Amino acid sequence: MNIDVLLEKTGLKKTYPRKIILGLFEDRDQFLSADDIAKVFQEAGHPVPLSTIYRILDQFVEKHLVSEVHIETAQVKLYERAHAHHAHHLICTECEKIIHVESCPVHDYESDLEDTHGFKVTHHTLNFYGLCEACQKAHA
Amino acid sequence: MNIDVLLEKTGLKKTYPRKIILGLFEDRDQFLSADDIAKVFQEAGHPVPLSTIYRILDQFVEKHLVSEVHIETAQVKLYERAHAHHAHHLICTECEKIIHVESCPVHDYESDLEDTHGFKVTHHTLNFYGLCEACQKAHA
DNA sequence: TCGTAAATGCAAGTGATTATCATTTAGAAA
DNA sequence: TTTCTAAATGATAATCACTTGCATTTACGA
């Protein structure tokens, strides 16, 4: 979907920083930190302060345009384009590439937990760490 | 196992702060932040600076006496006693209680990932968020 | 074109964690 | 037991990611 249309839907004004940031997430399906985004603006010759970037990211999360990803090994907040489907991540500990996987192996297990522990699960996080195909070959 | 013996095994000197901190993890099986620990010292009338507490936690993690837990709803680092077995957590979003579960539903799935995505998994993290039994009753 | 709420940009502020360094201390050696 | 020394502590300052306050600017509906 078009960037402008997406922004219109949310009621947020179409400003330069917002269009560029949303474009980064929509065009390529990448994981970005506020700092990564600041670098893009910097390199484009039109710097945008981090305060603005953080504010926009918060708004995009609230409007479900992007979502925060929780990666244990990352010490900064990372964001990705919001996905319609529940998904998990494969994180390469070598090159830090993150792969999206849209299947979930623990759905049945959640009802087990209710029986065994009386715990009512609302959601979960599941990340796999290891080596991606390319890094395995590089190591071999 | 005895606190003193545990410390001797690691080669770390048996100091007051280290004995108290290790005791907190060993006696009760609780999740603690650096700040939680500082409060304990404070209340015991023998304050210990946060810098010391952080250093000791790092050392304990390195020596595998405790391990860091990654809870996405927590904005501070949390630590728990190191467990011999692979485990997962049930985190109550209401009272923030954390329950340990020593079964794992995704072991088979990891070999699937290698087939489908060429990704070699070395480890994973899995946390469930929801309501514990007590909080469910309180809500009902 | 105007008016106004919303958005930006800058600067200062937070809060958790880390680093520096002088002083103290555990524990081995004499 | 005393001495010695590397290790540990305590106090302070520094960092780093992120947030907030506020004056200025701007998108966009009237």
Side-chain angles (χ1 to χ4, degrees), chain A residues 15 18 21 109 125:
Chain A
T15 63
R18 290 213 261 244
I21 293 176
Y109 186 70
T125 61

Side-chain angles (χ1 to χ4, degrees), chain B residues 16-61:
Chain B
Y16 170 76
R18 290 214 262 244
K19 285 198 274 192
I20 299 295
I21 294 175
L22 187 53
L24 288 176
F25 286 109
E26 290 294 316
D27 295 348
R28 287 159 287 165
D29 198 352
Q30 50 187 337
F31 293 74
L32 295 168
S33 67
D35 216 62
D36 293 335
I37 295 169
K39 281 201 187 69
V40 171
F41 284 114
Q42 193 73 46
E43 283 160 14
H46 188 315
V48 167
L50 278 166
S51 55
T52 297
I53 294 170
Y54 279 112
R55 265 187 305 237
I56 290 174
L57 285 171
D58 283 350
Q59 292 160 341
F60 282 2
V61 168

Side-chain angles (χ1 to χ4, degrees), chain B residues 3-131:
Chain B
I3 301 294
D4 283 4
V5 176
L6 277 173
L7 279 175
E8 259 163 36
K9 278 193 176 184
T10 64
L12 296 171
K13 289 182 181 174
K14 282 173 277 182
T15 63
Y16 170 76
R18 290 214 262 244
K19 285 198 274 192
I20 299 295
I21 294 175
L22 187 53
L24 288 176
F25 286 109
E26 290 294 316
D27 295 348
R28 287 159 287 165
D29 198 352
Q30 50 187 337
F31 293 74
L32 295 168
S33 67
D35 216 62
D36 293 335
I37 295 169
K39 281 201 187 69
V40 171
F41 284 114
Q42 193 73 46
E43 283 160 14
H46 188 315
V48 167
L50 278 166
S51 55
T52 297
I53 294 170
Y54 279 112
R55 265 187 305 237
I56 290 174
L57 285 171
D58 283 350
Q59 292 160 341
F60 282 2
V61 168
E62 195 184 350
K63 301 293 186 183
H64 304 101
L65 292 174
V66 309
S67 48
E68 201 184 325
V69 276
H70 297 275
I71 307 295
E72 68 174 67
T73 52
Q75 60 285 61
V76 296
K77 287 191 182 179
L78 290 178
Y79 299 84
E80 67 174 335
R81 182 162 69 100
H83 289 271
H85 301 293
H86 174 73
H88 296 299
H89 300 118
L90 312 182
I91 299 131
C92 182
T93 50
E94 191 75 16
C95 68
E96 302 197 333
K97 184 166 68 182
I98 303 175
I99 301 165
H100 231 87
V101 183
E102 293 213 347
S103 72
C104 179
V106 300
H107 249 88
D108 296 339
Y109 186 70
E110 293 188 351
S111 49
D112 293 354
L113 285 174
E114 194 164 354
D115 297 339
T116 56
H117 291 77
F119 193 91
K120 180 77 183 165
V121 176
T122 54
H123 65 286
H124 65 257
T125 60
L126 173 56
N127 291 321
F128 295 93
Y129 297 84
L131 289 178

Side-chain angles (χ1 to χ4, degrees), chain A residues 13-15 51 54-55 76-77:
Chain A
K13 289 183 182 174
K14 284 172 279 181
T15 63
S51 56
Y54 279 113
R55 267 187 300 236
V76 296
K77 287 190 182 180

Side-chain angles (χ1 to χ4, degrees), chain A residues 4-121:
Chain A
D4 283 5
V5 176
L6 277 174
L7 280 175
E8 259 164 36
K9 279 194 175 182
T10 65
L12 296 171
K13 289 183 182 174
K14 284 172 279 181
T15 63
Y16 170 76
R18 290 213 261 244
K19 285 197 274 191
I20 300 294
I21 293 176
L22 188 53
L24 288 176
F25 286 109
E26 290 295 316
D27 294 348
R28 286 159 289 163
D29 198 353
Q30 49 187 338
F31 293 73
L32 296 168
S33 67
D35 217 61
D36 293 335
I37 295 169
K39 281 201 187 70
V40 171
F41 284 114
Q42 194 73 47
E43 283 160 14
H46 188 315
V48 168
L50 278 166
S51 56
T52 297
I53 294 169
Y54 279 113
R55 267 187 300 236
I56 290 174
L57 286 171
D58 284 350
Q59 292 161 341
F60 282 3
V61 167
E62 194 184 349
K63 301 292 186 184
H64 304 101
L65 292 174
V66 309
S67 48
E68 201 184 326
V69 277
H70 296 275
I71 307 294
E72 286 84 353
T73 51
Q75 60 284 61
V76 296
K77 287 190 182 180
L78 290 179
Y79 299 84
E80 67 173 336
R81 181 161 70 98
H83 289 270
H85 302 293
H86 175 72
H88 296 299
H89 300 118
L90 313 182
I91 299 131
C92 182
T93 50
E94 191 75 17
C95 68
E96 301 197 334
K97 184 166 69 182
I98 302 175
I99 302 165
H100 229 86
V101 183
E102 292 212 346
S103 73
C104 179
V106 300
H107 249 87
D108 296 339
Y109 186 70
E110 293 189 350
S111 49
D112 293 353
L113 285 175
E114 194 164 353
D115 297 340
T116 55
H117 291 77
F119 192 92
K120 180 78 183 164
V121 176

